[in-house]
Amino acid sequence: MVKSWTDKLETPEVAKVKPSPRTIGDVVEGQPMLVPTARQVDDFMRTIPSGTSMNVRELRRAMALEHGAEVTCPVYTGYHLRTVAEAAYEAFARGVPIQEIAPFWRVLDDSTPTTARLTFGAEFVRARRRAEGLPE
């Protein structure tokens, strides 16, 4: 049976900080790297105030500092950004008020590759960003 996005978000995982195994993007081999869980990404997004946005690189930097690392794994962050967005939308579709779901639109926008892959489309992201006065 296929897991829902909410099930994936709720899967117990343990975050870890470990040396980066290779250089990729802005991550240099050997740097202390946070390998986040989906729940950590969800929790962090919920701390971003309404009307404020940050890009994925800023999110990764802030999460790393919060957890005593220098960088956050870009691959796991990408996976988890989608999981958080899809699980939040599932909750919204079930009738959970918009104020109670993770505000993924404060990180995702039209320039973020993850946005194009969302099963519910990019228009929801654009509409939420407009509602908060954020650039699309």
Side-chain angles (χ1 to χ4, degrees), residues 6 8-11 13 36-46 63 80 83-84 87 102:
T6 302
K8 291 177 184 182
L9 177 64
E10 299 301 333
T11 299
E13 296 177 284
T37 67
R39 175 53 58 200
Q40 280 179 306
V41 174
D42 183 279
D43 289 345
F44 186 87
M45 279 191 190
R46 291 173 187 271
M63 286 187 68
H80 296 327
T83 299
V84 169

Side-chain angles (χ1 to χ4, degrees), residues 10-66:
E10 299 301 333
T11 299
E13 296 177 284
V14 177
K16 53 190 164 271
V17 175
K18 65 179 195 172
S20 171
R22 68 184 68 83
T23 297
I24 177 173
D26 61 343
V27 177
V28 177
E29 182 176 343
Q31 277 185 299
M33 179 178 72
L34 170 66
V35 180
T37 67
R39 175 53 58 200
Q40 280 179 306
V41 174
D42 183 279
D43 289 345
F44 186 87
M45 279 191 190
R46 291 173 187 271
T47 68
I48 304 169
S50 179
T52 304
S53 66
M54 65 173 44
N55 64 36
V56 176
R57 187 168 282 192
E58 292 166 336
L59 174 133
R60 288 180 35 238
R61 187 176 312 119
M63 286 187 68
L65 292 173
E66 188 175 281

Side-chain angles (χ1 to χ4, degrees), residues 66-83:
E66 188 175 281
H67 294 280
E70 291 179 15
V71 294
T72 299
C73 179
V75 175
Y76 273 83
T77 302
Y79 293 152
H80 296 327
L81 284 171
R82 180 162 184 203
T83 299

